[in-house]
């Protein structure tokens, strides 16, 4: 588990790439500049860790592209101490970004292999989610609701109702919606039954699957 000057230099370059692509939230950029993304990937991919690309992390899943992580994190408008539900822990990289932003993170993963690996690995780096749950994110985390925000990091064929229902008033759900291609979508809860919806263009994610595995 080494982080070197070379890695730090590559990270700074990645931060500049993200700025050029339009990411402006300084806290998000600082988090990405700080987190050793190469440690979240298999050794075979270490050289690719600071390219703005998604890569395999095992169990047919991917670590999201840095731009996508930055874009979703920016849409959440995270404030310190925000209580955030993450669906799709995966490698834990997005979880680490949320922790760096000062959020209290509750994260769900449906692949047991990834769940075990990541829930052990993140604390070693000093990132402590409030809860890691092995389960089905379609249902949210009812016993911890309501949340300031919910982030979904897999492509959802539809918007799961429980995720909207578990938002505080004023809370934000950031979710890529669609089958082969997803539209990044932000819902803001305006009242108990009122939601504002904003759409932000196309992204590609692995699918949000039902039931745990
Ligand atoms: N944020 C992660 C993205 C991983 S890819 C990262 O950057 O590493 C999406 C993840 O969502 C996968 O790990 C996949 O297993 C998980 N996933 C898919 N459907 C899910 C569901 N219904 N509930 C919880 N996790 C799910």
């Amino acid at each position: 588990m080494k982080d070197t000057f070379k890695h730090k230099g590559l990270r700074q370059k990645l931060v500049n790439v993200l700025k050029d692509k339009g990411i402006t939230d300084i806290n998000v950029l600082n988090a990405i500049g700080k987190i050793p993304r190469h440690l979240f990937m298999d050794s075979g991919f270490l050289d690719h860790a600071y390219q703005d690309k998604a890569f395999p992390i095992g169990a047919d899943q991917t670590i999201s592209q840095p731009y996508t992580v930055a874009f979703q994190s920016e849409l959440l408008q995270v404030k310190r101490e925000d209580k955030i539900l993450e669906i799709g822990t995966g490698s834990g990289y997005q979880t680490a970004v949320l922790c760096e932003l000062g959020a209290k993170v509750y994260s769900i993963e449906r692949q047991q292999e990834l769940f075990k690996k990541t829930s052990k690995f993140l604390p070693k780096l000093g990132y402590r989610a409030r809860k890691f749950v092995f389960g089905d994110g379609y249902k949210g985390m009812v016993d911890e609701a309501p949340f300031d925000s919910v982030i979904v990091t897999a492509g959802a064929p539809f918007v799961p109702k429980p995720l909207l229902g578990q938002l505080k008033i004023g809370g934000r759900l950031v979710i890529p919606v669609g089958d082969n291609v997803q539209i990044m979508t932000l819902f803001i809860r305006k009242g108990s039954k009122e939601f504002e919806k904003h759409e932000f263009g196309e992204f590609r994610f692995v699918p949000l699957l039902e039931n745990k595995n």
Side-chain angles (χ1 to χ4, degrees):
M1 299 246 286
K2 260 197 185 161
D3 191 28
T4 65
F5 278 114
K6 182 181 152 218
H7 293 119
K8 287 185 183 122
L10 290 171
R11 273 208 291 284
Q12 205 42 56
K13 281 196 183 142
L14 172 62
V15 166
N16 290 333
V17 168
L18 299 180
K19 276 188 194 161
D20 287 346
K21 290 187 177 178
I23 302 298
T24 56
D25 184 328
I26 188 67
N27 297 323
V28 170
L29 292 167
N30 285 344
I32 287 171
K34 195 165 163 193
I35 300 168
R37 187 171 187 260
H38 60 287
L39 300 180
F40 291 74
M41 295 165 61
D42 294 338
S43 54
F45 292 101
L46 287 189
D47 287 347
H48 302 283
Y50 296 107
Q51 294 176 18
D52 187 24
K53 288 187 180 151
F55 281 100
I57 50 171
D60 282 335
Q61 301 305 324
T62 55
I63 178 169
S64 300
Q65 184 181 344
Y67 174 74
T68 304
V69 173
F71 193 84
Q72 288 194 281
S73 302
E74 194 165 78
L75 284 182
L76 290 173
Q77 297 190 351
V78 181
K79 294 181 295 301
R80 298 198 79 77
E81 302 299 316
D82 270 2
K83 186 172 183 182
I84 301 187
L85 175 64
E86 176 190 41
I87 312 296
T89 318
S91 70
Y93 182 71
Q94 173 76 65
T95 321
V97 170
L98 297 173
C99 289
E100 274 296 338
L101 294 171
K104 297 183 275 198
V105 187
Y106 296 75
S107 192
I108 308 180
E109 172 56 54
R110 72 175 285 284
Q111 283 270 0
Q112 191 159 31
E113 192 186 320
L114 283 172
F115 165 76
K116 282 189 185 156
K117 190 171 162 194
T118 301
S119 51
K120 278 206 193 104
F121 165 72
L122 272 183
K124 286 189 195 155
L125 284 188
Y127 295 115
R128 285 170 212 286
R130 292 299 169 105
K131 243 188 201 181
F132 284 113
V133 171
F134 170 52
D136 178 5
Y138 273 93
K139 302 185 178 84
M141 208 183 280
V142 87
D143 47 341
E144 293 292 348
F147 296 95
D148 293 293
S149 332
V150 177
I151 174 173
V152 179
T153 72
F158 58 89
V159 181
K161 286 247 166 65
L163 302 185
L164 289 168
Q166 291 175 25
L167 286 175
K168 291 182 187 173
I169 305 293
R172 303 162 83 84
L173 167 63
V174 173
I175 180 168
V177 186
D179 290 317
N180 298 321
V181 177
Q182 293 83 35
I183 304 295
M184 190 62 74
T185 311
L186 164 68
F187 291 90
I188 304 174
R189 188 170 202 171
K190 293 291 180 184
S192 64
K193 291 190 178 149
E194 288 162 78
F195 296 88
E196 204 175 272
K197 180 178 169 186
H198 304 263
E199 293 184 331
F200 295 90
E202 292 183 356
F203 288 78
R204 272 171 207 275
F205 287 79
V206 296
L208 186 70
L209 300 171
E210 301 213 39
N211 301 319
K212 56 189 178 184
N213 177 1

